[in-house]
Amino acid sequence: IPPTPVGPALMLSMQDGLLRWHPAHDPGAVGEEPVLALAEVMASPDGQVLAVTSSDGGWVGTWSSHLQVWRKGQWQLVDLSRPVRQRFARLTRQRDPDALNVAVLALSASRRVWLLAEVPCSSSYRRMCTLAVYEADAQSGQVLRRLPPAQARQRIPGNFDGEVHVITAANLA
């Protein structure tokens, strides 16, 4: 793709499987990384956080997300898939956290990120299709909390109106 604005603050381009980006106000602050063909890219409103969600196999593949965060004058990789998968695996009693899907739902200018975790619907896991929403801090890379569906709908900026299933001890038995 040719250089394209992503929101008001970030320019993005992709060529030969290499994603490149820079803040619109600073063409010299370039970040780059290889990206799989099946990927979604999202930028925070201020252009300080770039989220890449990619799949190793599409609808039935595993989805992972990571962030590129502008801090201390450079782009730094922040992996939120691993800590979200670990929390979600404990919650859903899955033995293989790496088989769980994680995707970024939204980013805010305050460096909050909301992620969706899923037990794949195409799996043979007992709790397949179970979902949870997590809120994290992009700057520190810490997962802050799991959000109940009503709170997720209130807190997530934009047009999030997806169905989120409540996970409780009662429906995990």
Side-chain angles (χ1 to χ4, degrees):
I1 59 176
T4 306
V6 178
L10 204 65
M11 293 295 291
L12 178 74
S13 64
M14 190 164 144
Q15 185 174 7
D16 300 324
L18 190 64
L19 178 69
R20 290 186 178 94
W21 65 92
H22 65 81
H25 69 278
D26 187 358
V30 175
E32 63 181 28
E33 70 175 71
V35 171
L36 298 171
L38 296 166
E40 178 180 275
V41 178
M42 182 184 309
S44 64
D46 62 1
Q48 301 293 299
V49 180
L50 181 77
V52 178
T53 299
S54 57
S55 172
D56 61 7
W59 179 251
V60 295
T62 303
W63 287 86
S64 296
S65 293
H66 66 272
L67 306 176
Q68 293 283 352
V69 179
W70 183 254
R71 57 183 176 200
K72 298 181 182 175
Q74 65 183 354
W75 291 101
Q76 296 181 1
L77 178 72
V78 175
D79 178 14
L80 287 171
S81 285
R82 182 162 302 285
V84 167
R85 278 190 174 116
Q86 289 170 344
R87 282 183 176 215
F88 191 53
R90 284 192 304 271
L91 182 70
T92 59
R93 300 184 188 140
Q94 300 299 320
R95 294 182 187 190
D96 183 10
D98 290 333
L100 302 173
N101 290 328
V102 176
V104 171
L105 291 172
L107 297 165
S108 76
S110 64
R111 297 198 179 200
R112 286 290 188 255
V113 57
W114 292 270
L115 303 104
L116 179 74
E118 176 203 46
V119 178
C121 293
S122 59
S123 70
S124 60
Y125 294 122
R126 200 169 112 219
R127 294 180 181 90
M128 65 185 219
C129 299
T130 300
L131 305 172
V133 174
Y134 290 88
E135 183 176 353
D137 179 73
Q139 184 70 23
S140 67
Q142 288 190 297
V143 178
L144 303 173
R145 66 187 62 89
R146 180 173 53 90
L147 297 173
Q151 193 176 23
R153 285 187 187 96
Q154 289 174 346
R155 292 184 64 91
I156 295 174
N159 296 326
F160 177 73
D161 61 1
E163 185 175 328
V164 180
H165 299 275
V166 178
I167 299 174
T168 65
N171 65 13
L172 286 176

